[in-house]
Amino acid sequence: MRMLLKATMDTETSNELVRSGKMADLMKETLDRMKPEAAYFGALGGRRTVLMVFDMQDNSDMPRLGEPFFTEMKAEVEVCPIMNGEDLAKGLAKIQ
């Protein structure tokens, strides 16, 4: 199922990851593990934020995918199912 993950990082923790040079490696490991179809990085609400669209094969994958954000970045993590335009059209056709 296509999912959107939003990870809002703790500023102090992520500052230290940047200063120590660990942030780039951590993001590469995360991208390699999650294999997102899209990944975006920016400041939302004044905090470093990662938005990733990825395919979650099984709900039991959630700890493997989310825990590094909690443990390494002290991030607030939100995950929700999402649709692209094709999915939306297919879903709307089912209710007509």
Side-chain angles (χ1 to χ4, degrees):
M1 176 178 289
R2 182 177 285 116
M3 304 293 283
L4 172 67
L5 179 140
K6 176 184 174 188
T8 305
M9 295 178 231
D10 175 74
T11 300
E12 190 173 319
T13 302
S14 60
N15 283 347
E16 183 53 37
L17 288 168
V18 170
R19 280 192 291 268
S20 69
K22 294 179 182 177
M23 181 65 85
D25 290 338
L26 187 56
M27 282 299 124
K28 183 181 181 330
E29 290 169 15
T30 300
L31 292 169
D32 289 347
R33 180 179 57 257
M34 295 184 73
K35 298 178 183 23
E37 87 181 47
Y40 302 96
F41 307 88
L44 296 177
R47 294 171 62 196
R48 288 181 184 95
T49 302
V50 178
L51 299 168
M52 290 189 191
V53 177
F54 67 99
D55 184 45
M56 188 164 67
Q57 296 295 317
D58 190 273
N59 290 346
S60 65
D61 290 335
M62 199 169 306
R64 177 180 65 82
L65 300 173
E67 281 304 318
F69 290 104
F70 291 122
T71 58
E72 300 292 329
M73 298 173 222
K74 295 184 183 174
E76 295 174 10
V77 179
E78 299 175 50
V79 181
C80 69
I82 58 171
M83 297 180 284
N84 62 17
E86 184 179 306
D87 296 332
L88 178 61
K90 184 177 174 181
L92 291 172
K94 291 180 181 181
I95 59 174
Q96 294 180 8

